[in-house]
Amino acid sequence: MSALDLRLPKAVTLVEVGLRDGLQSVGHMVPTATKVRLLQALYAAGVRAMEVTSFVSPKAVSQFTDAEEVARAALALPGLRVSALIPNLRGWERARGVGVREVTVVIGATDRFNMANVRMTVDQSLAQLAGIMEAVGAEPGVAVEVGIAVAFGCPYTGRVPLAAVRRIIDRSVELGVGSVSLADTIGVATPLDVVAGLTGVRAACPNLPLSLHLHDTRGMGLANALAALHVGVTTFDGAVGGLGGCPFAPGATGNVATDDLNNMLTGMGIATGINQDGLLACGGILHDEVTVDLPSHALRVFLGQATGRGDPNGVNAG
Ligand code: COA
Ligand code: ZN
């Protein structure tokens, strides 16, 4: 059966968030030179959309004290869509200062999570968003996305009703936000939750560009991505190697691995423009230079083959 028979899209955009979501949970400061090397290797692999850093308070996340430097290195790569996370107006001013033209404003779907993450209630974050949109309004050609964290489940309050997500989306649309990303920050959604959430949002805002930000905490990442493909989503975040997590969401682990997503999509004949070997080489950089646990399945196979350790294809397995 082909992608055409299943009514799957012919092409998908993978937004690499490893340099932001991936690195924010790494306990030690990753040298700027390593980040830039990774950035350039991802670009060489064909990645053309990346969230490269976070313009947040260094007191909240110390990993991103070099945000300006990393953003500048990214902006030097021709044809790369460079975005950055911002939590507040100050974040926008910093992003604008280096020439970033795409920003994601992160707002948690629950007050409890949003307070833990950015020390604001949802309403206070929406008020910040209004200020950001006003500031951005004066700058032509800037794209603002709202990233709704814990859109499916919250580590503090459990299941998140669609109404809580809709409230943020409705206000974002009123304020002129260009797109919304639904984030399963703690990896609790099932494919049916994903379909219900996406179709619920679509019914209310049929023209709003939507993307999905999945974490693979309970092994649902690829299944959820496949479910989303069926309801027409064509933009997904992923982190190389499956790196990631949120320091403000207890128990949150890595993003769905870009290399696993790319392996699934290209294997099904869906174009991503990303070279799998190049992507795996990026995972190798993380493995060698950042020395963190990398849950990606595709990367484990690759590293097993590269070192001669293990038996990735299960040839000798019982
Ligand atoms: N960039 C750099 N510094 C910033 C900043 C930004 N975007 N926003 C605030 N600050 C600084 C302030 O200048 C202040 O510095 P000072 O103590 O030296 O005067 C300090 O941070 C505290 O500022 P305040 O406005 O009181 O913020 P806060 O302590 O209430 O924290 C946030 C709010 C949003 C700044 C902070 O919680 C944050 O950056 N969170 C990001 C969390 C995150 O990245 N989560 C993962 C992504 S989902
Ligand atoms: Zn995330």
Side-chain angles (χ1 to χ4, degrees):
M1 193 174 279
S2 71
L4 212 61
D5 299 323
L6 280 172
R7 293 176 196 280
L8 294 170
K10 291 199 175 93
V12 153
T13 300
L14 294 181
V15 181
E16 174 58 46
V17 299
L19 286 159
R20 196 280 296 171
D21 203 331
L23 294 184
Q24 76 186 6
S25 57
V26 173
H28 56 276
M29 181 67 193
V30 177
T32 309
T34 302
K35 294 179 187 178
V36 172
R37 200 156 109 69
L38 191 58
L39 169 77
Q40 291 169 345
L42 287 161
Y43 180 78
V47 174
R48 288 296 178 270
M50 272 191 245
E51 193 170 80
V52 297
T53 192
S54 241
F55 290 97
V56 293
S57 165
K59 287 178 186 152
V61 186
S62 57
Q63 187 61 256
F64 300 122
T65 47
D66 59 2
E68 277 80 359
E69 223 174 320
V70 173
R72 272 193 207 100
L75 290 163
L77 298 171
L80 177 67
R81 276 180 50 205
V82 176
S83 71
L85 185 142
I86 59 169
N88 57 14
L89 192 55
R90 173 84 194 279
W92 160 245
E93 282 158 4
R94 288 179 59 202
R96 181 177 151 271
V98 282
V100 171
R101 314 296 288 167
E102 281 191 41
V103 288
T104 297
V105 181
V106 63
I107 304 179
T110 67
D111 280 334
R112 281 288 301 279
F113 176 81
N114 209 51
M115 284 299 294
N117 196 35
V118 292
R119 295 161 70 116
M120 290 179 251
T121 62
V122 173
D123 283 343
Q124 285 169 334
S125 271
L126 289 170
Q128 277 279 335
L129 178 66
I132 291 167
M133 293 310 290
E134 199 178 322
V136 165
E139 295 266 326
V142 174
V144 179
E145 175 163 279
V146 164
I148 304 184
V150 301
F152 299 93
C154 169
Y156 306 107
T157 61
R159 203 173 176 82
V160 170
L162 183 60
V165 173
R166 280 281 314 278
R167 196 165 83 81
I168 296 171
I169 291 182
D170 290 349
R171 182 68 183 135
S172 301
V173 170
E174 259 172 38
L175 290 169
V177 160
S179 61
V180 164
S181 159
L182 296 186
D184 185 16
T185 308
I186 56 167
V188 285
T190 66
L192 288 187
D193 295 330
V194 165
V195 168
L198 290 168
T199 50
V201 171
R202 271 274 161 70
C205 312
N207 300 319
L208 178 69
L210 271 183
S211 68
L212 205 57
H213 174 100
L214 297 165
H215 281 257
D216 203 22
T217 316
R218 290 167 183 76
M220 289 285 111
L222 289 183
N224 286 344
L226 184 61
L229 284 172
H230 280 293
V231 291
V233 172
T234 55
T235 305
F236 295 88
D237 289 355
V240 61
L243 186 64
C246 177
F248 307 97
T253 59
N255 283 98
V256 63
T258 315
D259 19 324
D260 284 336
L261 271 175
N262 196 52
N263 177 57
M264 178 178 85
L265 294 166
T266 56
M268 295 196 303
I270 299 172
T272 63
I274 301 177
N275 175 276
Q276 183 69 1
D277 289 340
L279 207 49
L280 292 169
C282 298
I285 296 176
L286 276 177
H287 177 264
D288 295 342
E289 296 186 26
V290 184
T291 56
V292 278
D293 193 29
L294 296 166
S296 154
H297 297 277
L299 184 63
R300 257 185 239 160
V301 173
F302 170 76
L303 292 174
Q305 283 168 346
T307 60
R309 287 195 311 260
D311 178 18
N313 295 316
V315 178
N316 299 318

